Amino acid sequence: MLRSRMKKGKGSTRSNEEDFSVNLTKQLDDNLKNLNKMLDNPSDLVIRELTIGSANHRCAIVFIDGLIDKKVVDGKILKNLQTQLQNKTLPSSDAAILDEVQREIISVSHVEQGNTLDDVSNSILSGGTAFYLDGINKVLIMNTMGWETRSIQEPITESLIRGPREGFVENIGTNMVLIRRYIRDSNLRFTTYKVGRRSKKALVLAYVDGIVHPDIVKELKRRLESIDMDDAPESGYIEQWIEDSFLSPFPQIFHTERPDKVSAALLQGKAAILLDGTPFVLTAPSTLGNSFQSPEDYYERWFVGTLIRMLRYGAAFIAMFLPALYIALVSYQPGMIPSKLAFSIAATREGVPFPSVVEAISMGLTMELLREAGVRLPKTIGQTIGIVGGLVIGDAAVQAGIVSPIMVIVVALTAIASFALPSYSIAISFRMIRFGFMIAASVLGLYGVILLYIVLNIHIVNLKSIGVPYTTPFAPSFVKDWLDLVVRAPLTMLTERPKYTKPNDSKPMDKGEKKQ
Amino acid sequence: MYRCHLILLSFVIFLVLSGCWDRVEIEQRGFVVGVAIDLAEEQSGGASDGDQQIELTLQLANPRGLGSTTTGGGQQKAFLNISGTGSSIFEINRDMAKQTSRTPFYEHLKVIIVSKELAQKPGLFSKTMDTFIRDPEMRRSVKVLVAEGKSKNFLNMESEQEKLPSLKIESIIKNTRKNASIIEPVRIGKVHQLLLNRNSYVLPTISLVNNKLKDEGVAVLHGKSNVLVGTLNKTETKGLNFIKGETSSGVFHVNVDGDSVIYEIVNAKSKIQCEAKSKDDLKFTVSIEMEGNIAEDYGSKDDLIDERYLKKVESKIEQEIKNIAQQTIDKVQKELKVDVLGFDRRLRRTDYDLWEQVRKNWDRGDNYFAKSDVNVEANAIVRITGVADQTKSGIIE
């Protein structure tokens, strides 16, 4: 189903010894020998030879065991060949026989003719079946792909209380179907690429023609075509290859497991990148504001959506600044803490042997360790270890007088706040930057925090995602887009697509249409 | 590449060399919450260079003694008072660093208590205030008080609900809303302004009775010399508040037909009008308008709904207001001869040319203030008589 041009390194998979022909010959035996030689007699290569027609014309079907759907190959190809062509008088020319087989015999939807050995090998290595006929240098290539796949499940990393429960799977075909089911528009475009010199993974660039700005598609295509690697096991490879700045701590292309999120992005004038073998779909261009948006904001009524979104902005602030502010205030500017709080912080810190920055960084690292360990551990004990570890370590450290109780509160609050962000990758960057702020605070106090904040601001207003400034619609201001930024205006007011993607078709959407 | 390294290195050097120099962890700071300034007993300094020796007492909070649950405070004292003597606050302060392991930190300072004796010495009050105004570590919101007697005793007094005497003083003087006989706390920022102006002003006073804090009355300071010239008692302070229109609440007590009626002030306004014909013929009219409720009525023989009775109550209240205000004016104008009522500002706005003539002799020299005529008018309104009409007369049976 995913036949397309192979971009790079055409034929580079062949071994150096040129002891077989690249082109198909008219002799079936030579063809089969060539194929066997090319793949070096793999044990899972199945060559089924048979004769058809009254004249006992020799032919063969070739596939790789495990990649094909046995039901299709046995029932729709082999059986038809054997039963319908038995004792039938076939046309005299071999080309006509091949034509008849293609048109009348094989009950598979995708069949086409191939001319080269590469066509055959590429096809059978991705689950196709090739039909060789003796006496002609052409083959039929049939799509019989069929292997065990995961069924559609609820996305684990992005579960919602309210909203569709289906998430993307590893199979790109299923993923495309999922998107098609959301956008039944004739302008929905899927452009297919093959990435990976060796893996030849299917990659699909999806966009809605007429909504997306052509420059975005053009730029994405240019970048996708520049990809040159052996394998792309996950869409993270694609993301890192095509992102604007690899030095930035911020992710410039967001990923999601949710088809509703992708379809909403497509309708906003963005493009999506699907990669075979991963449930994570990239949406580009992405902006900082997008990282605070969750589909649920739109599924709940706008009051709720707005409040939750504001809460997330608060959470982002806490995740990034709270430990740094604590350090700055405690070590440099205790005058800015309300008196009684200052006294109680001083009381709890009495006897703590470390300066607050050491305390904060070590607790922060402990927190990250616990998180990392929690991911590695099996799910059943992972949670327990996480909670118990946190409690025990936190409590014991306080009891032992190594850290102050307020520090534990600060660290815990920071961790909770960072996990409240809907985008995991941006939460990670925030947590990372947090350490920078801690060091700045420990060196220069609040002044240092402000300085680093300015530096960070300079960076993010410079940052771009596929040419779209990262801080839109904040920094290049698109006032109309603010309706769906910190607040989430009622859906009846959100009738226009965001301006910052410069959609071709900015005319009002249908009222009530879902939009992200 | 070498250049790049050099730039990077210089950044690191900037950070390492400049950073952390003023880092003091919160638990290493000595939080000064209260300052008491007294005249030093003469034997210590010996008045070496003719300067008046002063005694500075700092109250440092002891966070551990303040007792949070984890640290199990309570056994330790919540504060530590340290004293030093010298001729300037800053010098004493530096000297005091020897007495405590923690460097004094003033950003949480709440109150500065100046003894009355000190404020009576010419020039000393403004001198002692200087460092508290000048130093960037000082907050503009520190409250300034004048103490009867030794001010350092206030930092040692019993304070039941608050563990720190300074915090207790601070919270008590903020209770102006419930009491008409104390004035709004004066913040050091305001003191700065007062010292720069030539206007006379008042500062709240506190006194100790049986080691208990009593907060009433004000100290009157002369504008030009910044010397304490006298004090106003409780009633006079009330009158001062009425005249300046600074009472928003408070209670007072009138006698109607031999029975007590308690009137609770809800809203009070005052207006000072000036009639200035010449510098020897200055006439000020103070109109006080008051709204309030009947809080308690011990008489209740008469119907509060009765217009005539209510009018009688109101006129009694007006009479009382006039009395109190007049008492204050007599004291301020005739006895202390210092204008703390704001008449100078009123005159300046009414007739600037005339004000320019009398400015230098307003409440000093010829003292035109003392010579002016002052008339008090009062208007009291009873807004709410309460939900009960009568409580004990025998009408309802």
Side-chain angles (χ1 to χ4, degrees), chain A residues 7-8 20 89 98-99 124 162 196 223 264 288 339 351 381 387 399 418 437 439 450 456 473 483 499:
Chain A
K7 298 186 299 89
K8 294 250 165 197
F20 56 88
T89 316
L98 198 67
D99 230 34
I124 65 172
R162 182 174 179 179
R223 292 190 193 184
L288 192 62
S339 298
I381 30 172
I387 294 163
Q399 293 286 322
S418 79
F437 273 110
I439 291 164
I450 298 295
L456 197 71
L483 285 176
K499 292 269 178 295

Side-chain angles (χ1 to χ4, degrees), chain B residues 18-299:
Chain B
S18 63
C20 304
W21 65 271
D22 61 345
R23 183 172 64 84
V24 182
E25 292 293 331
I26 195 164
E27 72 275 10
Q28 286 154 359
R29 307 232 188 213
F31 291 103
V32 179
V33 285
V35 168
I37 308 166
D38 291 295
L39 287 178
E41 272 130 53
E42 277 309 321
Q43 77 273 17
S44 57
S48 52
D49 45 2
D51 271 350
Q52 178 63 50
Q53 293 286 304
I54 48 180
E55 185 183 13
L56 177 73
T57 308
L58 302 182
Q59 179 157 71
L60 301 181
N62 179 14
R64 206 163 240 197
L66 283 169
S68 63
T69 46
T70 49
T71 47
Q75 299 94 329
Q76 295 189 35
K77 222 176 165 200
F79 59 88
L80 169 74
N81 288 351
I82 51 175
S83 298
T85 315
S87 56
S88 86
I89 302 276
F90 200 72
E91 277 171 2
I92 308 170
N93 192 19
R94 282 291 152 96
D95 210 39
M96 256 194 250
K98 291 179 217 156
Q99 288 185 48
T100 167
S101 58
R102 297 178 181 177
T103 46
F105 177 72
Y106 286 90
E107 282 186 30
H108 286 288
L109 181 58
K110 300 292 175 205
V111 286
I112 299 172
I113 309 168
V114 181
S115 77
K116 200 171 156 188
E117 286 74 38
L118 186 138
Q120 276 164 341
K121 295 262 176 188
L124 211 50
F125 175 70
S126 52
K127 199 178 122 186
T128 52
M129 284 300 116
D130 184 80
T131 188
F132 294 102
I133 293 164
R134 191 175 302 278
D135 199 304
E137 200 176 289
M138 304 295 174
R139 290 291 161 90
R140 305 283 283 178
S141 61
V142 182
K143 276 107 192 154
V144 182
L145 299 162
V146 172
E148 302 265 0
K150 264 258 184 235
S151 61
K152 71 188 241 190
N153 295 342
F154 288 87
L155 298 183
N156 269 321
M157 65 168 189
E158 280 175 37
S159 51
E160 300 86 13
Q161 284 144 323
E162 300 281 345
K163 289 202 169 172
L164 293 170
S166 305
L167 290 188
K168 168 149 183 167
I169 295 168
E170 198 217 1
S171 54
I172 280 184
I173 62 169
K174 278 201 281 195
N175 278 345
T176 41
R177 213 163 287 174
K178 292 283 171 206
N179 195 334
S181 62
I182 53 178
I183 61 163
E184 281 285 321
V186 179
R187 307 171 358 145
I188 189 107
K190 179 82 179 164
V191 170
H192 188 191
Q193 185 190 332
L194 295 170
L195 291 176
L196 290 175
N197 285 341
R198 292 294 154 102
N199 304 328
S200 301
Y201 51 94
V202 290
L203 293 174
T205 56
I206 48 173
S207 54
L208 273 183
V209 179
N210 299 331
N211 210 20
K212 290 270 164 62
L213 184 71
K214 218 169 128 209
D215 167 34
E216 56 184 36
V218 291
V220 179
L221 282 94
H222 192 271
K224 169 82 172 150
S225 54
N226 294 309
V227 171
L228 190 146
V229 291
T231 52
L232 301 185
N233 65 21
K234 194 173 165 182
T235 326
E236 288 155 359
T237 309
K238 207 185 247 184
L240 180 74
N241 275 333
F242 289 166
I243 294 166
K244 292 175 96 175
E246 281 170 2
T247 319
S248 61
S249 66
V251 168
F252 72 93
H253 188 143
V254 288
N255 221 319
V256 187
D257 301 338
D259 287 314
S260 293
V261 174
I262 312 298
Y263 179 70
E264 182 199 359
I265 306 162
V266 172
N267 195 3
K269 275 187 282 187
S270 85
K271 204 168 162 190
I272 301 168
Q273 277 165 316
C274 176
E275 246 178 88
K277 291 194 186 97
S278 74
K279 57 183 175 179
D280 293 315
D281 185 10
L282 295 167
K283 218 176 181 179
F284 291 94
T285 311
V286 181
S287 352
I288 302 165
E289 236 175 273
M290 215 168 266
E291 285 175 46
N293 310 331
I294 301 291
E296 268 181 89
D297 183 6
Y298 290 170

